[in-house]
Amino acid sequence: MVRLGLADGAVFEGRCEGPWEPREGETVFTTGSTGYPQGLTDPSYRGQILVFAFPLVGQYGVDEDALESLRPQPEAVVVSRVPETGAGRRFREWLRRAGIPLMEGVDTRALVLHLRDRGTLRGRLGDGSLPRSSRFAPDLVASASCSVPETDPGEGPLAAVLDWGVKESILRRLRERGVRVARLPWNASAREVLALRPRGVLLGNGPGDPQDLLSGPVGTVRELLGRVPLFGICLGMQVLALACGAATEKLPFGHRGVNHPVREEATGRTLLTSQNHGYGVVDASAEGAGLTVTFRHLGDGSVEGIASGIYPAWGVQFHPEAAPGPWDGAFLFDRFVASLDEEGRKGAAA
């Protein structure tokens, strides 16, 4: 028997196969029913204990040719049930090879309801003892980023991507549209970015609290404002907001899943979106920072998109690349590519 102890004293029981050591992290839940290999390899889950609300996980094994990073990212995984079939065994083995404990047989419905009522809590997977720390490690982004710059060969407009834990599907969506990608480490300076002469910069997703990036990436983005078009996704939107002078806050239990409805404010249309974040932009801070709210969450009204009224800079809190999830927001990559083309025309005319 293994126990998950939460910071408020609650304890949930289950079982865990194979050798493992106690793990600690922010305990969060996702409501997605499919795409679990892509979700588990999203670097935004680094440092977290991930609970699946859907009762059956592992039912089709692991499609290792379509992952979002090289390995599973959470500290531990908590599920109700994994099939005893070959697919289920492959799923267990995949996590075991990565050193990720899999806690099964948990009343995940009760656990998810507890997190919804109490908010996100630190957890410790072990003997039921409570977690020892209270927050994210500040170096999560550094550990999720690439370590050296990587630039695609060939022709096509160049977009720099600041890698704070960026998903592979974001890079795939750009390449599918004929864009060359220059992937830069999390601590790249504005001078290093601009030295590549990119037509635009994509600010990627990643783990942790955006406030931990105030001394590095936020300053870099602030220097880039007005120099080149900027497009932020998830953590990238939060960093963009901070660079513009807005504020961010921790949400009660975040948004994680593949069916989150958001409304585009300019048109009134609703998109179903894939999301994975625990922080958001403080609504009241946007206007004073020269930002317009472009999308809102239809569940809690939180900010899901921003655009600067001063600079060519915008972002969304959801994941337009999906992987997993609906493709409703894919057009946002077309908008970004159009801004690259516009930048290219400006350069040719200069």
Side-chain angles (χ1 to χ4, degrees), residues 221-234:
V221 173
R222 188 177 294 122
E223 289 185 54
L224 293 172
L225 285 167
R227 308 285 297 277
V228 65
L230 303 177
F231 175 34
I233 294 176
C234 201

Side-chain angles (χ1 to χ4, degrees), residues 111-156:
L111 176 51
V112 168
L113 289 174
H114 187 85
L115 294 173
R116 283 182 61 92
D117 290 343
R118 301 296 183 90
T120 297
L121 295 164
R122 294 285 298 185
R124 180 176 173 81
L125 188 69
D127 60 5
S129 58
L130 302 186
R132 298 170 181 171
S133 61
S134 60
R135 66 183 306 276
F136 275 120
D139 62 349
L140 283 174
V141 163
S143 68
S145 173
C146 64
S147 57
V148 296
E150 306 165 1
T151 302
D152 292 344
E155 302 295 327

